[in-house]
Amino acid sequence: MRPATVLGMVVGLLLLVNVFIGEARLAWSLLPVHIGLGAAAFGVSIVYAVVSRGYRPALIFGAVLVVLTALQGALGLMMVFGFHGQLIETVHRWNGNASFLIGLVGGIVVGRMYRRTVSSPS
């Protein structure tokens, strides 16, 4: 299994658990875990982008994940430091769900594209 595939699965799992914590409204009671999982997802997304730099679609996908997780972290930190506006909470929630879904679908699509590229005769 390719390192990028393993990293993609790790990011997906981290985002899945974090989305579950957020949607179950447990984020404030599990705040250190929620922040830690988000930071880990951001870090693994960066590593995924760096490891995947040889295959352009995977690099672009990794960059999108880095941007989405960075935005998610910025919105979350705004809420932690006292900005509890409904708009910020809503965008944080929707961005978290979108990050997970984009990561899931994008990871599958990029993985299949890579396999087709490698297996097809050039």
Side-chain angles (χ1 to χ4, degrees), residues 26-90:
L26 298 172
W28 287 109
S29 58
L30 297 173
L31 193 59
V33 174
H34 192 60
I35 291 173
L37 289 172
F42 176 67
V44 175
S45 297
I46 291 173
V47 174
Y48 177 90
V50 170
V51 167
S52 303
R53 69 184 180 275
Y55 184 60
R56 188 171 304 250
L59 174 63
I60 293 168
F61 172 64
V64 167
L65 278 179
V66 168
V67 169
L68 287 174
T69 54
L71 175 63
Q72 187 70 359
L75 290 168
L77 287 175
M78 286 174 67
M79 290 178 1
V80 167
F81 290 123
F83 299 99
H84 291 287
Q86 187 66 31
L87 177 64
I88 293 173
E89 291 178 17
T90 302

